[in-house]
Amino acid sequence: MAKKLFLILILAVCCVGSVCAQERKGKNREQMMKELWDFRLKFLAQEMELQDDQKDRFFELYNEMCEKRRDCMREAWRLERKVKKSDQASESDYEAAAEAMNRAKAEDAAIEKSYDEKFSQFLSQKQIYKMKTAENEFRKKMQEMRKKKGHGRK
């Protein structure tokens, strides 16, 4: 376990160092996000112990799933930002944001479940489980790094 955490830490430090160096060289945000996404995919593949014949299919399906999940969350995020930024938000604004968040979470769960079925056609249940835990681990590490860099979200 300690060896695994050490590897994750090394990978995260390398990724952050790479992103910071690229910012200084003038690379745009889009390129940095693509590189971070590629790093995420490699991390998941490693944690899931994907075989070479599984990787391409997984990456394609995972990208598709994540795009659908982002699409379903966009409106909820927009409304959430709107009420957070507004000193004049009404009760109905808060209600609309809360309802949108609830709808988006339900839709997100349905998307995730449908893709679990698609993944199970070529991945073991153990690999699907590892995907979910690795996603959470990756997200936590990114949040920790943002906080250390002073870019933490409130």
Side-chain angles (χ1 to χ4, degrees):
M1 182 67 178
K3 189 176 187 181
K4 187 177 184 180
L5 287 174
F6 179 73
L7 177 63
I8 292 168
L9 182 61
I10 294 295
L11 290 172
V13 169
C14 290
C15 180
V16 169
S18 174
V19 169
C20 291
Q22 290 167 0
E23 281 180 325
R24 287 189 296 270
K25 292 180 183 176
K27 283 197 174 185
N28 63 24
R29 176 176 162 77
E30 186 177 313
Q31 180 63 30
M32 288 187 298
M33 294 305 292
K34 182 190 179 320
E35 290 175 9
L36 184 59
W37 187 257
D38 291 344
F39 175 76
R40 178 184 180 132
L41 292 175
K42 289 175 186 172
F43 175 77
L44 291 174
Q46 177 184 325
E47 293 299 302
M48 295 167 65
E49 301 174 5
L50 292 180
Q51 303 300 313
D52 288 338
D53 63 328
Q54 294 174 308
K55 286 180 184 178
D56 288 339
R57 194 167 175 196
F58 171 74
F59 293 157
E60 182 181 333
L61 204 54
Y62 186 78
N63 286 331
E64 183 181 296
M65 176 187 73
C66 289
E67 186 59 35
K68 285 184 179 183
R69 292 175 79 184
R70 274 190 298 274
D71 287 347
C72 90
M73 297 299 289
R74 276 193 178 101
E75 178 64 11
W77 291 334
R78 185 188 68 75
L79 291 173
E80 182 181 18
R81 280 191 307 274
K82 180 181 172 185
V83 296
K84 272 186 178 179
K85 290 180 180 180
S86 174
D87 293 334
Q88 306 297 320
S90 67
E91 282 297 307
S92 62
D93 292 334
Y94 284 107
E95 181 181 18
E99 286 177 11
M101 291 163 66
N102 287 336
R103 278 192 310 274
K105 286 178 185 177
E107 186 179 342
D108 183 59
I111 292 168
E112 186 174 356
K113 184 175 180 175
S114 73
Y115 276 86
D116 283 353
E117 292 173 17
K118 294 176 183 183
F119 287 130
S120 69
Q121 294 174 8
F122 65 97
L123 298 176
S124 69
Q125 290 304 308
K126 181 179 180 179
Q127 287 174 311
I128 294 170
Y129 173 81
K130 284 185 170 189
M131 173 185 66
K132 293 173 186 303
T133 58
E135 284 177 314
N136 290 334
E137 199 172 322
F138 187 85
R139 196 173 300 113
K140 286 178 188 175
K141 292 294 179 194
M142 291 294 110
Q143 288 172 343
E144 288 171 14
M145 289 178 2
R146 272 190 221 117
K147 285 179 184 176
K148 287 180 183 176
K149 296 279 293 172
H151 300 294
R153 294 180 182 168
K154 292 183 179 182

